[in-house]
Amino acid sequence: MAVEAPAPVLAAMPAAPQCVSAGPATAGSIALEQVWHRYGGASSEGWCLQDLNLSLEPGELLGLLGPSGCGKTTLLRLIAGFERPSRGRVLLDGREVAGPHHWLVPERRGVGMVFQDYALFPHLTAWQNACFGLPRHSSHVSVRGLLQAQERVRWLLSLLGLEGLEQRYPHALSGGQRQRLALARALAPAPRLLLLDEPFSNLDGEVRLRLRRELPAVLRQCQTSAVLVTHDPQEALAVCDRIAVLSAGRLEQCALAQELVARPASPFVARFVMQANVLPGRLQAGELQTAWGRWRPSGSESISPQTLLSGAPLEVVLLGEALALEADPQGSARVLGREFHGHHWQLHLEDRGCPLTLQMPLERPLEPGQCCSLRLIRGGRGILFPGGLPIEVV
């Protein structure tokens, strides 16, 4: 297997030759309207997608983020046309491609796909793999058009750092080079939309970071919109323009990365995206009580029970550093485990039946099994659910 070549210098990315279009005239858009889906037809049980409404703007890189089995890949397959939605509509560039009265086959949608396992043909060279999706010479394709398409492939291989590797077979390429080749093949026919199904999950850490840094610049050069499926929050936050968070087939939130972090729409989003701590609470005399301290709204008003959903359990999502920890042999919290993260320890704790995660300086290590006490820091911030009300520690 080849050694991974250094990443292309993004500032020096080659421009498309004058005779070659870098991409379509405008990048593609998507709209999914009230989409429901389950496998096995109407007789099957359990929806893998439920009442999903989502859009992608031209030129945007949209992340689909969620745990395994939440419906991310199913949604990608519906957009590509590999599956037909049980209910609802899929529109590409404002045109219905899947719905109750219309169906457009995948090969006519103008959508490129990059698979998790590359899906390269082992008996074809890198050049042949990259050219596989191009139209063949026929009465409908001129020689000039074919030559321009091949020139585009040369440009893409140069853009992705594969120049000089055209005659190699996939087994003679590194993992990063194979993934770049899969990306070049998907972009060669100049799709308006590119779908990427966890494209970096099989790569080692350094190559994964390098490729995800390159991806937005490559998409801009090719004037292509894209949907990136991932279960890694850091990957989605790092490269995506907006992120759609899915849980059990439902859309929890779709927002900019900054908004997801600052204003999560649910405790699930806070836990999954930020690994935030969530505390149980109860309302007493207009004030929120938790086992670790009291909270009040960030404004001057008291918490009104009318602002909350009747009968729903109260949960407080902690923002930033709102909990302080001290070693205490008599404390109610116990360290379950710890992880070394370079500049700090990450501690996994349990206190009063509540799982928590905290960072500790390297010079203050706590051992697994050690007892400690936790308290809220005055002025610490949080969000109360249901309702999403900003609150602070009294």
Side-chain angles (χ1 to χ4, degrees), residues 337-359:
R338 69 180 187 181
E339 300 172 5
F340 178 66
H341 281 212
H343 300 290
H344 65 268
W345 292 106
Q346 182 156 299
L347 301 182
H348 301 282
L349 309 104
E350 183 270 335
D351 191 6
R352 300 175 178 89
C354 182
L356 300 164
T357 302
L358 290 176
Q359 294 182 5

Side-chain angles (χ1 to χ4, degrees), residues 33-382:
E33 300 177 352
Q34 298 178 312
V35 169
W36 294 69
H37 189 67
R38 59 184 170 191
Y39 292 101
S43 61
S44 65
E45 296 182 2
W47 294 96
C48 49
L49 289 175
Q50 304 178 59
D51 197 22
L52 194 138
N53 294 277
L54 189 62
S55 64
L56 169 76
E57 299 301 320
E60 190 176 31
L61 173 54
L62 176 70
L64 295 183
L65 176 65
S68 298
C70 71
K72 305 185 299 295
T73 298
T74 296
L75 182 53
L76 216 62
R77 291 176 64 83
L78 292 177
I79 297 171
F82 302 152
E83 300 285 340
R84 190 167 188 165
S86 303
R87 301 179 191 169
R89 300 197 308 159
V90 179
L91 293 89
L92 297 180
D93 299 324
R95 180 180 60 159
E96 183 178 299
V97 295
H101 309 296
H102 189 68
W103 170 254
L104 189 66
V105 293
E107 59 269 26
R108 295 185 58 195
R109 296 192 181 191
V111 173
M113 185 94 179
V114 178
F115 298 92
Q116 182 176 352
D117 59 356
Y118 319 134
L120 299 173
F121 297 104
H123 64 293
L124 299 182
T125 64
W127 173 260
Q128 291 168 331
N129 266 286
C131 293
F132 188 82
L134 299 181
R136 302 295 187 263
H137 179 60
S138 69
S139 58
H140 302 290
V141 181
S142 67
V143 174
R144 183 167 181 261
L146 191 59
L147 291 175
Q148 285 184 341
Q150 291 177 348
E151 187 62 30
R152 175 179 170 82
V153 172
R154 289 191 185 90
W155 171 69
L156 284 168
L157 293 177
S158 175
L159 180 70
L160 291 164
L162 297 173
E163 195 171 21
L165 305 177
E166 292 88 347
Q167 298 310 312
R168 288 195 186 181
Y169 288 88
H171 71 269
L173 300 173
S174 70
Q177 289 166 343
R178 288 199 295 269
Q179 192 58 277
R180 286 193 181 101
L181 179 56
L183 184 57
R185 181 181 61 185
L187 290 169
R192 300 183 68 179
L193 173 65
L194 185 65
L195 307 177
L196 302 110
D197 190 5
E198 302 201 41
F200 311 132
S201 60
N202 290 333
L203 304 174
D204 64 64
E206 182 183 354
V207 176
R208 182 168 64 247
L209 291 174
R210 186 188 305 160
L211 283 180
R212 83 183 191 192
R213 283 196 300 266
E214 295 171 5
L215 179 63
V218 170
L219 293 173
R220 283 194 298 271
Q221 282 280 83
C222 295
Q223 302 170 21
T224 303
S225 307
V227 179
L228 171 68
V229 164
T230 180
H231 61 267
D232 182 354
Q234 293 307 312
E235 185 170 281
L237 293 171
V239 302
C240 296
D241 299 309
R242 285 187 303 140
I243 303 163
V245 182
L246 276 71
S247 173
R250 292 188 178 276
L251 180 63
E252 292 276 336
Q253 186 175 4
C254 184
L256 299 173
Q258 304 94 308
E259 186 176 348
L260 281 180
V261 172
R263 292 183 294 278
S266 69
F268 172 84
V269 173
R271 284 193 186 99
F272 191 81
V273 175
M274 302 182 297
Q275 290 77 53
N277 291 313
V278 180
L279 308 179
R282 65 186 187 278
L283 195 62
Q284 287 187 340
E287 194 171 69
L288 180 64
Q289 304 278 351
T290 69
W292 300 267
R294 297 179 297 129
W295 298 77
R296 66 185 177 198
S298 295
S300 58
E301 75 279 5
S302 63
I303 300 173
S304 169
Q306 284 74 29
T307 65
L308 306 174
L309 298 177
S310 176
L314 303 185
E315 294 181 292
V316 177
V317 170
L318 303 187
L319 300 177
E321 296 184 3
L323 275 175
L325 180 150
E326 295 178 357
D328 181 1
Q330 307 302 318
S332 59
R334 186 167 62 92
V335 179
L336 302 179
R338 69 180 187 181
E339 300 172 5
F340 178 66
H341 281 212
H343 300 290
H344 65 268
W345 292 106
Q346 182 156 299
L347 301 182
H348 301 282
L349 309 104
E350 183 270 335
D351 191 6
R352 300 175 178 89
C354 182
L356 300 164
T357 302
L358 290 176
Q359 294 182 5
M360 286 291 291
L362 295 179
E363 61 270 16
R364 293 177 57 195
L366 290 177
E367 301 291 335
Q370 191 170 347
C371 290
C372 51
S373 59
L374 295 170
R375 61 176 177 82
L376 290 169
I377 301 172
R378 185 177 179 84
R381 298 179 303 114

